[in-house]
Amino acid sequence: MEKRNEMTEHDREQEIYKVTLAGTGVDIFLMLFKFATGILGHSAAMIADAVHSLADFLTDAIVFLFVKLSNKPKDKGHDYGHGKFETLAAAIVGIALLVVGAMIFFNGLSKTWKAFNGAVPAQPGMIALIAALVSVVVKDWCYRFTAAVGKKVNSEAVIANAWHHRSDALSSVGTALGIGGAVILGPHWTVLDPLAALIVSVFIIVAAWKLIRKSVGELLDASLPDSVENKIVDIAESEPGVSGIHNLRTRRIGDQIEIEMHLRLPGQLSLYEAHQHSIHIENKLRKHFGSGTMITIHLEPVKINGRYEDPNLPTFLPPNH
């Protein structure tokens, strides 16, 4: 996990709103453009692509709503804040993608089956091909600027929305190939139009499943990756006097992470000295993972001969005596 750039919650919220609003404007334009060209160009693949853009528009609205909720400060009923609303938004985006992918899949499967059984689909027009090519370029551009902001503000919901843009671009690539083949090769190849919709739907479903699995893992308090936990241990053990870390527990809450650990220090340290070591470790962790990182450290004395001993007793021998 890379060190994140600090920004206020207000600045972060504004960045998310601006990029989501820009994506919403593009989605509205493409949705209307695709529906019109799909109907005028008699293209099932383009109409399916238009439905995908409609899903993008709806998920943009979800991101607006849930990011607002996730940025609310902690209150009596939410001691850890409201960050998981953002993870929930990412899950809803994934579910929306899954539903749209399934709809496109079954629609394409039905039309393809009918075509192989003698029903000849209508040949799509050149206007549908132009619309597909425009969509590829515009949606890939949307993915790039949305993903950049998502990484900058460390927002799972915005990154999920960026992948939604990328899935729409991939959908349009398949749509363009299917429509192009049907237009160029003639009426005997019009089956390429629904077949393209069928193939692209598989990519959409796979992308949706990855988003859902990641979001559900966070909602169920899945641990952070081993690479992140190893970095936490390295930072804690770099503090002088620390002899061991155990009972490490981690999880993600929205754009922040929570860390709990047991820390062993020499038993003869005063409470003040042990607390200072704990503060140093917390500061280093927050410097690396962000100022909002939630940290709980339980301090323990180093065990002597496998057990805890009171350093004030005359029989106490310090480690390595």
Side-chain angles (χ1 to χ4, degrees):
M1 186 173 182
E2 296 181 355
K3 182 178 176 181
R4 44 183 295 201
N5 295 325
E6 296 296 329
M7 63 170 60
T8 66
E9 285 302 314
H10 174 75
D11 290 340
R12 179 176 182 273
E13 187 175 334
Q14 290 303 308
E15 289 275 0
I16 292 173
Y17 284 165
K18 284 191 294 185
V19 74
T20 307
L21 186 61
T24 300
V26 172
D27 288 336
I28 291 174
F29 165 74
L30 285 178
M31 177 182 64
L32 297 175
F33 183 51
K34 288 178 182 179
F35 270 122
T37 55
I39 293 170
L40 294 174
H42 306 290
S43 172
M46 180 50 64
I47 292 175
D49 222 11
V51 174
H52 195 188
S53 291
L54 174 60
D56 282 342
F57 168 69
L58 294 176
T59 52
D60 284 341
I62 291 171
V63 171
F64 267 119
L65 173 62
F66 280 80
V67 167
K68 185 69 174 178
L69 291 173
S70 70
N71 283 330
K72 289 173 61 179
K74 65 180 182 179
D75 53 34
K76 185 177 180 181
H78 300 84
D79 293 329
Y80 292 96
H82 300 77
K84 290 209 171 182
F85 279 108
E86 192 167 321
T87 306
L88 181 59
I92 292 175
V93 170
I95 292 170
L97 264 176
L98 185 63
V99 171
V100 169
M103 289 171 58
I104 294 173
F105 178 84
F106 287 110
N107 183 62
L109 183 63
S110 174
K111 290 182 179 294
T112 302
W113 177 257
K114 291 177 181 178
F116 280 118
N117 283 277
V120 180
Q123 184 177 20
M126 182 61 70
I127 189 172
L129 176 59
I130 294 172
L133 295 174
V134 169
S135 180
V136 171
V137 174
V138 173
K139 292 303 289 185
D140 191 67
W141 171 63
C142 283
Y143 162 77
R144 292 177 186 279
F145 72 69
T146 304
V149 172
K151 292 176 183 178
K152 177 182 176 182
V153 303
N154 196 28
S155 170
E156 293 295 328
V158 174
I159 292 173
N161 210 25
W163 276 104
H164 207 162
H165 289 311
R166 171 56 63 87
S167 71
D168 204 5
L170 292 174
S171 176
S172 295
V173 168
T175 301
L177 291 174
I179 295 173
V183 169
I184 295 170
L185 299 177
H188 294 295
W189 291 91
T190 54
V191 69
L192 291 176
D193 183 51
L195 188 60
L198 178 63
I199 295 172
V200 169
S201 68
V202 175
F203 290 97
I204 297 173
I205 291 170
V206 170
W209 172 247
K210 289 179 179 178
L211 285 177
I212 294 170
R213 184 176 60 181
K214 186 174 187 298
S215 300
V216 169
E218 291 183 12
L219 290 172
L220 296 178
D221 291 332
S223 301
L224 298 178
D226 289 343
S227 59
V228 178
E229 292 196 340
N230 290 338
K231 185 63 180 179
I232 292 170
V233 171
D234 289 343
I235 290 173
E237 290 184 339
S238 69
E239 177 68 15
V242 174
S243 62
I245 306 294
H246 62 284
N247 286 0
L248 175 64
R249 295 192 293 179
T250 62
R251 61 174 175 165
R252 174 171 289 280
I253 303 176
D255 68 316
Q256 300 173 348
I257 66 172
E258 182 188 7
I259 303 169
E260 296 181 22
M261 71 175 79
H262 289 202
L263 190 73
R264 285 189 176 142
L265 290 165
Q268 65 269 33
L269 292 179
S270 68
L271 177 60
Y272 175 81
E273 292 172 321
H275 179 257
Q276 287 300 106
H277 284 296
S278 176
I279 291 297
H280 292 163
I281 292 171
E282 289 182 16
N283 288 340
K284 285 188 281 189
L285 287 171
R286 291 195 173 101
K287 182 179 180 181
H288 187 85
F289 294 107
S291 60
T293 303
M294 290 168 272
I295 305 167
T296 302
I297 298 178
H298 172 75
L299 298 176
E300 297 178 357
V302 175
K303 287 184 176 181
I304 307 299
N305 298 322
R307 64 180 183 177
Y308 298 119
E309 293 189 5
D310 186 347
N312 295 314
L313 294 177
T315 57
F316 173 78
L317 293 177
N320 302 322
H321 179 74

